[in-house]
Amino acid sequence: MRLTLFIVSVLMMIATVFYILHKKKNASINRDERITKIHISKTVIDIGDRIINSSAAGKFVIYNDGQNDLTIKSVEPDCHCTVGEYSKHLIKPKDSAIISLKYDSSILGDFQSSAFVKTNSDQSPLLIVLRGRIIDTLGN
């Protein structure tokens, strides 16, 4: 009986923690913020081989398919070797914007870098991926 009571208590505590975390996540969303719909034509871009210290970037086009303005809140790369650039302006319905990921091309070898794109859409956060290979001038 004590074991059953203990298990029920632990399960209730776990459920409470998940409930609080869920409420906290939803509370952080601005209630006045209008949600919109988006799509990105490609979420993975393979830029192929790039010579060391040359441009290693991919451009992702994000489309606002909804009825409300789209706001890109942040682009958060998974490592310091990648930088995300994006428009800070509102993207009107039926319009688009470019999100650029730039990889540090001074690092030889295959790479795959990703970033989370946070917006006011129903798909936020959205994962985008840039991959390729940095080679030296001899083709290695």
Side-chain angles (χ1 to χ4, degrees), residues 84-104:
E85 295 178 353
Y86 60 97
S87 172
K88 309 287 192 275
H89 301 289
L90 292 177
I91 302 149
K92 297 292 183 188
K94 310 301 179 215
D95 204 355
S96 63
I98 293 176
I99 299 169
S100 178
L101 287 185
K102 294 181 180 180
Y103 180 75
D104 179 1

Side-chain angles (χ1 to χ4, degrees), residues 75-79 82 101 112-116 127-130:
V75 175
E76 301 172 358
D78 62 351
C79 72
T82 304
L101 287 185
Q112 178 169 307
S113 188
S114 59
F116 281 107
L127 182 69
I128 57 176
V129 178
L130 179 68

Side-chain angles (χ1 to χ4, degrees), residues 52-98:
I52 192 166
N53 295 321
S54 67
S55 175
K59 294 185 178 189
F60 301 82
V61 182
I62 186 168
Y63 299 93
N64 183 355
D65 294 333
Q67 302 296 318
N68 300 308
D69 291 342
L70 171 63
T71 303
I72 301 173
K73 298 176 183 179
S74 66
V75 175
E76 301 172 358
D78 62 351
C79 72
H80 67 281
C81 58
T82 304
V83 175
E85 295 178 353
Y86 60 97
S87 172
K88 309 287 192 275
H89 301 289
L90 292 177
I91 302 149
K92 297 292 183 188
K94 310 301 179 215
D95 204 355
S96 63
I98 293 176

Side-chain angles (χ1 to χ4, degrees), residues 39-58:
H39 84 272
I40 293 183
S41 56
K42 289 184 178 183
T43 57
V44 177
I45 295 178
D46 188 332
I47 61 171
D49 292 349
R50 294 288 191 261
I51 296 175
I52 192 166
N53 295 321
S54 67
S55 175

